[in-house]
Amino acid sequence: MKKSVHADISAIRNLSDSDPKAYKKKKLLDVEKNLRSLGKLGPKEQLKEVMCMDCHVGVLAEKGDHRKDLRMPTADVCGTCHLQEFAERESERDTLTWPQDQWPKGRPSHALDYKANVETAIWAGMEERDIAEGCTECHINQNKCDTCHTRHQFSAAESRKPQACGICHNGVDHNEFENYMMSKHGTIYQLLGDEWDWEVPLKNAVAKGGMTAPTCAFCHMENKGKFGHNLVRKVRWGFNPQK
């Protein structure tokens, strides 16, 4: 937590414009705007810090009862401050439709991945429930954000690396991570990725961050020249033989 951006908001305000993280100054202004719209900050009041209680009790809560008020933050809690990112992620629900109704609307998506998991007949009928629950270990993005932005640093730089995606996108049934790492893109990443500046936002990763091969996030978060948290606009789902 102490290493996170949340722990030292003033450090963001004091970033020089030449710092690769300087884009976070505008992000902070957006967060404060969201909190003012909810009446949690005064008209000219600035956010001072983000503490444990903000996520686990209530945003800018002054006190809480450990027995009654403690919560595990869900994605909508993150959306209280990070409204744009939350809305973009939720837009995955409306991105994909299937011309022959092979799958319900919004599949695949992070925004509906838990629902897609428990609605599957194979999952419901599987006798080995411990194996079935293995699916649920990854099908949880619908309810949370810390699969990619792992707690308690919630690092954007970490979530830009292929390993962040590889936590779930691996294995015999969906081996995207293995395919990427064995590709020319993945080979270049493994050879040179430690020389890239991961603090640079994705839109500047090539020009300013030294990126010489695309990553999962660089391709799937981009759409028509803009980057966002809808990751399924360029997905082609081909696990099964179908029209």
Side-chain angles (χ1 to χ4, degrees), residues 93-192:
R93 296 170 180 262
D94 304 313
T95 297
L96 293 175
T97 57
W98 293 85
Q100 298 164 333
D101 296 325
Q102 299 99 320
W103 296 95
K105 183 178 180 180
R107 312 290 202 279
S109 76
H110 299 104
L112 289 171
D113 67 348
Y114 181 71
K115 184 176 182 181
N117 183 47
V118 298
E119 286 182 346
T120 304
I122 295 174
W123 183 88
M126 191 178 295
E127 293 183 3
E128 300 86 352
R129 297 314 299 168
D130 52 338
I131 297 177
E133 286 307 310
C135 303
T136 308
E137 288 184 9
C138 281
H139 282 258
I140 51 176
N141 298 282
Q142 175 173 332
N143 305 321
K144 58 206 300 250
C145 300
D146 64 357
T147 315
C148 301
H149 303 275
T150 57
R151 52 191 149 167
H152 282 92
Q153 289 192 45
F154 303 106
S155 166
E158 175 192 324
S159 65
R160 292 171 182 145
K161 296 182 179 181
Q163 284 89 343
C165 307
I167 293 172
C168 293
H169 292 273
N170 70 82
V172 294
D173 51 347
H174 35 57
N175 57 349
E176 296 90 359
F177 179 69
E178 292 90 338
N179 288 340
Y180 172 80
M181 295 297 275
M182 293 177 68
S183 72
K184 183 58 70 175
H185 295 160
T187 300
I188 295 173
Y189 160 69
Q190 292 176 80
L191 292 172
L192 303 175

Side-chain angles (χ1 to χ4, degrees), residues 36 63 78 80 133 164 220:
R36 290 189 186 103
K63 61 181 180 178
C78 302
T80 305
E133 286 307 310
H220 287 286

Side-chain angles (χ1 to χ4, degrees), residues 200-238:
V200 172
L202 289 173
K203 67 178 182 179
N204 297 329
V206 175
K208 297 181 180 180
M211 182 183 287
T212 51
T215 61
C216 316
F218 185 83
C219 285
H220 287 286
M221 298 188 84
E222 186 274 337
N223 185 53
K224 298 180 180 179
K226 294 184 178 181
F227 290 83
H229 276 63
N230 182 320
L231 274 72
V232 299
R233 289 173 295 197
K234 296 196 295 187
V235 166
R236 184 163 185 163
W237 204 14

